[in-house]
């Protein structure tokens, strides 16, 4: 099993930055890919895939975040980050970390709230 804990969310003004962290514990070697999703309960029924990271590289899966968000990993800390710059009010959501593993899963974190004020 893998346990994920997100942190780094908060309230920021438009144009500001936040760095989200997703710290993993447990069966780390079984992790294939890491993902950040977001969900604004008032607007979306489903979580939206924002960014993905694997050994072969990373992708940003939402056009509106390209050029503003970056996903990265610190292997020594078993942590994945989502650096979010030039934040916009429409980025407001609960951000979730998810991992795909070799057996079982996927596993999700509890989410961290990001609120961007205009």
């Amino acid at each position: 099993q893998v346990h994920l804990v997100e942190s780094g969310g908060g309230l920021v003004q438009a144009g500001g930055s936040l760095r989200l962290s997703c710290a993993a514990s447990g069966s780390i070697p079984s992790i294939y890919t890491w993902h950040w999703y977001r969900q604004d309960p008032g607007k979306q029924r489903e979580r939206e895939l924002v960014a993905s990271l694997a050994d072969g590289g990373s992708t940003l899966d939402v056009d509106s975040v390209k050029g503003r968000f970056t996903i990265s990993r610190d292997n020594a800390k078993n942590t994945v980050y989502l650096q979010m710059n030039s934040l916009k009010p429409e980025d407001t959501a609960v951000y979730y970390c998810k991992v795909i593993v070799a057996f079982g899963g996927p596993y999700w974190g509890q989410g961290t709230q990001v609120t961007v004020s205009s």
Side-chain angles (χ1 to χ4, degrees), residues 68-86:
R68 300 188 297 122
F69 289 13
T70 304
I71 185 171
S72 63
R73 178 172 60 187
D74 185 332
N75 289 329
K77 296 182 178 180
N78 297 322
T79 299
V80 164
Y81 304 97
L82 185 67
Q83 178 67 45
M84 306 186 295
N85 300 326
S86 302

Side-chain angles (χ1 to χ4, degrees), residues 2 4 10 14 20 27-28 43 45 54 59-60 62 65 70 72 75 77 81 83 90 94-95 97 104 106 110 116:
V2 177
L4 303 173
L20 306 184
S27 183
I28 306 301
K43 297 180 181 178
R45 290 186 177 181
T59 59
L60 295 173
V62 177
V65 308
T70 304
S72 63
N75 289 329
K77 296 182 178 180
Y81 304 97
Q83 178 67 45
E90 51 263 43
V94 179
Y95 284 71
C97 180
Q110 83 287 353
V116 184

Side-chain angles (χ1 to χ4, degrees), residues 37-41 91-96 110-114:
Y37 283 74
R38 66 185 180 185
Q39 184 178 31
D40 183 345
D91 294 318
T92 295
V94 179
Y95 284 71
Y96 298 90
Q110 83 287 353
T112 185
Q113 176 71 49
V114 171

